[in-house]
Amino acid sequence: MFLIQKSNLSTYLISRRRLILAVLVAVVFVFSIKYLTSNEKLTAAEDILLSSSKPPPGRTIFFIESSCNRSDFQYNVISMKTHQACGIESAALHNPKFQVFVLFACPTYRNESMPIIDALLSYKNVHFRSLNLDRYAEDTPIADWLKKGDLLKSSYLKFHLSDLLRLITLYRFGGVYMDMDVLLLRSLEDEPLNFAGAERADSIANGVIGLEPSGFGHQLAELFLQDFQANYKGDTWAHNGPMGLVRVLSEVCGTKNVTLMVNNRDRCQGFKVFDVNAFYEIPWQQWRFFFQPETALLVLGRTINSIMVHIWNHIVTEWPLKTDSINAYMMWASQHCPRVFAAAGELFD
């Protein structure tokens, strides 16, 4: 009799704990929603495929944020660093005839009182959109492979997801993809699509890619996606991104020699590989040159003919910077992202 009562008591206590836990979860959920919708006055970013305003094929510059930010009472609220916003503004400023779409890899909300975001959205050609990965991949060469779940097992998920999303985006819309740590120094509007840039004499980076929305550019996007699937490695950082470009372009250009590809559209069937100076004049090993007063003139001199610069934010540790710092980066920021620079106040992070 005692054992039965003890068992019943144990069952009762377990059920009670579960009930209390369920009530607590419900309370937290309701409070979170109330906090998000009332106190924070958040606005959801539209899904890019469901929005009535879509990227103009071949006339859009894309940035992609592949990480999701959350805290106890905030779920996927935009948390953009000032230097990321600076790169986006530089694209909008120098390319007024292009639309600039910033894509978030998960449902994302915008706080209506964010000075940096307000500075970006003061440009009529800047748009924020979210995306659903499964929906986004539908009707693309990667759709069936993605359902297998191999991507989610990646040791570098954020980076590999970004590698994939830029290829899907260019397959769907064409245009130009740019990393969020790229700062544009001049316009791309007159540059024919179908291009990337050499990072070194033996390497092509995928931090900037331009593809036509149809014809050869669309065929290349399909080849890039097919290569991503066929050669995917979840435990290697660059294998699915920059090395994928090299694998495909080696076949297209009939050579593995990047030096022979550079500035030779005829060899590469109309695809242009820019020389190192165009996008990546300052290599990642010299990233500190961007932020040191003593190297400011050196950097400005080396990049005088560059179209853009890559800041290598995955290794940069200098943030935040004072906006009155004397270095090449802050000189560029004041000129190429003036609204973000003004909204930043005293610190640039």
Side-chain angles (χ1 to χ4, degrees):
M1 183 68 176
F2 175 76
L3 291 176
I4 294 176
Q5 291 176 343
K6 185 175 181 180
S7 175
N8 289 341
L9 178 61
S10 176
T11 301
Y12 168 75
L13 291 175
I14 292 173
S15 299
R16 185 177 179 183
R17 290 192 191 102
R18 288 175 178 172
L19 178 61
I20 292 173
L21 180 60
V23 171
L24 287 174
V25 170
V27 169
V28 170
F29 177 77
V30 171
F31 181 76
S32 299
I33 296 299
K34 182 178 180 181
Y35 185 90
L36 288 171
T37 57
S38 299
N39 293 356
E40 286 294 324
K41 297 180 180 179
L42 301 183
T43 303
E46 293 183 275
D47 187 296
I48 186 172
L49 297 184
L50 304 180
S51 172
S52 59
S53 177
K54 302 245 182 350
R59 302 299 290 175
T60 302
I61 296 174
F62 294 95
F63 295 87
I64 298 176
E65 175 54 75
S66 58
S67 59
C68 297
N69 303 298
R70 68 185 69 187
S71 63
D72 290 343
F73 299 112
Q74 292 183 324
Y75 183 75
N76 299 341
V77 177
I78 294 173
S79 179
M80 189 176 294
K81 299 295 186 182
T82 314
H83 68 269
Q84 293 175 316
C86 184
I88 296 167
E89 181 181 357
S90 72
L93 174 68
H94 290 300
N95 300 276
K97 295 180 182 179
F98 273 52
Q99 298 301 304
V100 177
F101 273 68
V102 184
L103 307 183
F104 297 89
C106 48
T108 303
Y109 296 85
R110 176 172 65 88
N111 187 329
E112 293 182 357
S113 59
M114 301 177 71
I116 298 298
I117 303 302
D118 292 342
L120 286 179
L121 294 178
S122 67
Y123 286 86
K124 293 182 179 180
N125 61 337
V126 173
H127 314 273
F128 288 176
R129 295 289 186 270
S130 65
L131 61 88
N132 175 287
L133 178 58
D134 292 333
R135 184 186 301 124
Y136 205 52
E138 286 179 4
D139 301 320
T140 75
I142 205 77
D144 291 337
W145 176 84
L146 192 61
K147 294 174 183 178
K148 297 179 181 179
D150 290 351
L151 179 67
L152 299 179
K153 301 173 186 177
S154 167
S155 301
Y156 304 94
L157 180 58
K158 181 175 74 171
F159 299 102
H160 290 166
L161 177 59
S162 179
D163 289 334
L164 176 59
L165 286 176
R166 71 192 66 181
L167 299 180
I168 294 177
T169 298
L170 294 175
Y171 179 85
R172 281 189 169 277
F173 303 108
V176 180
Y177 165 82
M178 292 174 56
D179 278 352
M180 293 185 76
D181 55 355
V182 167
L183 183 66
L184 209 58
L185 306 180
R186 52 180 51 89
S187 177
L188 282 170
E189 290 181 345
D190 295 328
E191 180 61 44
L193 291 175
N194 295 340
F195 62 78
E199 181 181 336
R200 301 186 306 271
D202 61 347
S203 174
I204 301 172
N206 69 338
V208 181
I209 311 172
L211 292 178
E212 294 173 331
S214 58
F216 182 56
H218 188 68
Q219 293 172 20
L220 275 176
E222 183 171 359
L223 290 174
F224 289 143
L225 284 171
Q226 290 172 348
D227 178 86
F228 190 98
Q229 173 180 337
N231 295 291
Y232 177 76
K233 289 185 178 181
D235 59 353
T236 307
W237 180 68
H239 182 81
N240 312 302
M243 293 175 66
L245 260 66
V246 173
R247 286 192 296 271
V248 171
L249 291 176
S250 294
E251 294 293 326
V252 169
C253 302
T255 179
K256 294 182 179 180
N257 189 328
V258 174
T259 301
L260 294 179
M261 299 179 192
V262 169
N263 295 326
N264 190 342
R265 287 187 185 269
D266 292 336
R267 170 178 283 278
C268 296
Q269 303 182 44
F271 189 91
K272 180 175 182 178
V273 179
F274 281 91
D275 63 23
V276 172
N277 177 262
F279 304 161
Y280 307 103
E281 171 61 28
I282 307 300
W284 67 265
Q285 297 93 334
Q286 297 176 351
W287 66 266
R288 287 185 175 84
F289 284 15
F290 291 123
F291 309 105
Q292 297 171 337
E294 61 270 24
T295 55
L297 292 180
L298 171 67
V299 169
L300 294 175
R302 285 175 56 177
T303 58
I304 193 169
N305 294 316
S306 298
I307 299 172
M308 63 190 77
V309 288
H310 198 289
I311 308 301
W312 311 110
N313 191 55
H314 63 289
I315 52 176
V316 168
T317 57
E318 293 294 322
W319 312 113
L321 293 173
K322 291 185 177 181
T323 49
D324 62 357
S325 301
I326 300 175
N327 54 57
Y329 180 80
M330 295 314 304
M331 292 178 187
W332 282 326
S334 64
Q335 179 182 357
H336 300 290
C337 61
R339 299 183 193 179
V340 167
F341 186 86
E346 295 182 358
L347 293 177
F348 221 83
D349 67 358

